[in-house]
Amino acid sequence: MCGIMLSIGPEADPAIFRRMLGTLAPRGEVTETRHESGLLAGTRRLRVVDRERAVQPWVSTDERWLLCYNGEVFNHHELRAELSSLGHRFRSASDTEVVLAAFEHWGEQVVTRLRGEYAFAVVERATGRAYLVRDPLGVKPLYWARTPGCLHLASEIKALVRLGAPVAEVPPGHHGWADTGGHPQLRPYVDLLALGAGRPVVADPDEAALLVRTALTDSLRVRLDTDLTVGVVLSGGLDSSLALLHAAQSHPDCVAITVGVPESPDLAYARRLAKDLGVAHEVVELRPRDIRLADVREAIRISELTEYGDIINAIVSVPIFRRLRELGVKVVLTGDGSDELFGGYPMYHEVGPEASRRLFLHKIRNLCRTELQRVDRTSMAFGVEARVPFLDLALVELAMRLPIELKLRDGQEKWIVRRAFADMLPDYIRRRPKNPMSYSSGLHERARLYKPLFARLHRSFGYHLLEPVRRDFDSVLTRCGNDLDAALAAGRARPDYTVLEHARDLVGAAKWNATPLVRRLVSPRRNRGDGAPLPG
């Protein structure tokens, strides 16, 4: 994983380029650049695959093409073998070189061959034309902006806002070309709103369970293919527990990490599972009062997020990845995406099958700017590569072929996942109900105190040059009775919360935060020596 930055065109300015690349410094360990006439390219590289030789920007053997690449292609061994049989000779063992060799051989069809989480730009050095690609789900980011005589590309919005120009994203599952004088011409190679369309429905529970188990196990296998320590962000819920179970079985060096208040459900479940598996477990214990305005501001600066709930989850995520960096862990698995695939939210089950399918696809299409953006920014801000096994394209497409009846059954959400791994999951994990991240950590209500400040802080970093903070879409959807069209219209009509809505929310949060203080003030004080109540 890396942070990439390019300025392409006759007005590319080395001083501006260096400052923009500098904002991406946390994403990697080493800065690697190439300066040519009309082409400035750089990478802040996190050394994971072929750590010594995968130097970027990577230039093709014939020196025609230059590659800046962020991410991991998990089938690079298979692609390397195929390309070698076709006569290609490799200079390294990196997936970086494989990506460029695959592009040289297959051209734009390369997107049909890559399996992974990536975003990259291939530049024709003689002309300045650039081929841009982002992975199907948008796990890895890529943004662009134009100034007179120059196209700028970057892994994060914060690298581009200093230009003062509008910022745009390469959408997930899109690719295309950009020349030095115009906007990128991008088109989808995966239609996220039609996943599974035209494919047979898998309605038999036994067949569905076998297919889910096979697909997820394979997704975890390729993401555990590293000689580095693997961390697992463990909430003690179904999804992260499955990731830890597989890591403990197939990787010799793994560690679990959990964040929460001392009495939170997450810590209790996670501690029990890690102990049962004999896995090293790092616990980041926070109390609500530990979250302060400076932490909120830093989470917004890091995450660039645009929905309130996602920002709150980022506030909770930052301490996890900060601790992983301190531990020297560079690769981590998360359970993100499972709820969006397998019915982890009530809305999917409160409408008919067709409306439910539209909700599933809408959530999947928007993961790139919600959960996946949070995971990328909060992990890479500390030089940690987060891998999301539930969002392997094959598993996502399979999930869209399963009827809603297999996702919610007997009052249990994600029923088919529980069924698929029933023999692996401890009963206390298999039966644990779904809890949203910040709620189950015990930290949501503290972060909620600062919600009225989120939009202003977001603007202070210039992130509105892409888009402003907006009200949580899930709350709009609930208010609209889970009618997707009505919710989309309502979101356009009133994109942010009103002052009155913020005031009501603040009162509720203030009451919750005041309760522990009141309890301490009115409860009997205890003698420091024996713990007995003092006489009244």
Side-chain angles (χ1 to χ4, degrees), residues 4 72 83 172 256 352 374 410 492:
I4 64 175
E72 300 287 346
L83 289 163
R374 171 184 58 80
D410 302 329
R492 288 190 295 268

Side-chain angles (χ1 to χ4, degrees), residues 73-91:
V73 167
F74 300 120
N75 63 335
H76 69 97
H77 299 298
E78 296 87 342
L79 292 174
R80 176 185 299 273
E82 184 175 358
L83 289 163
S84 294
S85 71
L86 294 169
H88 194 91
R89 297 294 174 260
F90 289 92
R91 295 169 276 160

Side-chain angles (χ1 to χ4, degrees), residues 137-166:
L137 277 296
V139 179
K140 292 288 100 182
L142 188 58
Y143 301 94
W144 62 272
R146 285 208 63 90
T147 55
C150 197
L151 172 68
H152 308 271
L153 303 163
S155 293
E156 296 187 10
I157 304 164
K158 58 179 64 68
L160 299 172
V161 294
R162 64 177 60 246
L163 298 169

Side-chain angles (χ1 to χ4, degrees), residues 408-412 415:
L408 178 72
R409 180 175 287 197
D410 302 329
Q412 272 193 331
W415 179 85

Side-chain angles (χ1 to χ4, degrees), residues 280-418:
H281 188 204
E282 188 71 19
V283 175
V284 181
E285 282 196 2
L286 296 175
R287 295 189 179 276
R289 63 177 177 269
D290 294 331
I291 295 177
R292 301 181 181 277
L293 179 58
D295 304 299
V296 174
R297 186 180 189 278
E298 180 66 356
I300 291 173
R301 186 196 68 79
I302 286 170
S303 69
E304 308 174 343
L305 287 159
T306 58
E307 287 196 19
Y308 289 86
D310 295 317
I311 291 171
I312 289 174
N313 285 339
I315 295 167
V316 177
S317 298
V318 164
I320 294 175
F321 295 107
R322 180 184 289 119
R323 183 62 182 138
L324 285 169
R325 181 182 65 181
E326 293 168 355
L327 294 172
V329 176
K330 292 198 289 187
V331 175
V332 67
L333 302 182
T334 81
D336 294 279
S338 177
D339 292 315
E340 287 75 15
L341 301 188
F342 296 107
Y345 301 120
M347 62 181 180
Y348 298 126
H349 314 294
E350 296 170 356
V351 295
E354 186 55 38
S356 173
R357 177 177 175 77
R358 289 190 66 210
L359 288 175
F360 274 112
L361 294 171
H362 176 83
K363 289 284 285 186
I364 291 168
R365 171 59 182 81
N366 283 276
L367 277 172
C368 65
R369 65 168 193 82
T370 54
E371 277 197 55
L372 290 178
Q373 183 169 322
R374 171 184 58 80
V375 170
D376 173 79
R377 301 303 193 281
T378 56
S379 62
M380 294 302 289
F382 300 98
V384 177
E385 175 185 307
R387 300 176 176 181
V388 283
F390 279 94
L391 293 176
D392 194 274
L393 184 59
L395 182 59
V396 177
E397 290 178 328
L398 170 62
M400 291 303 99
R401 296 170 56 201
L402 305 181
I404 191 67
E405 294 79 14
L406 293 185
K407 298 179 180 182
L408 178 72
R409 180 175 287 197
D410 302 329
Q412 272 193 331
E413 87 288 345
K414 295 184 279 191
W415 179 85
I416 193 62
V417 180
R418 300 173 197 273

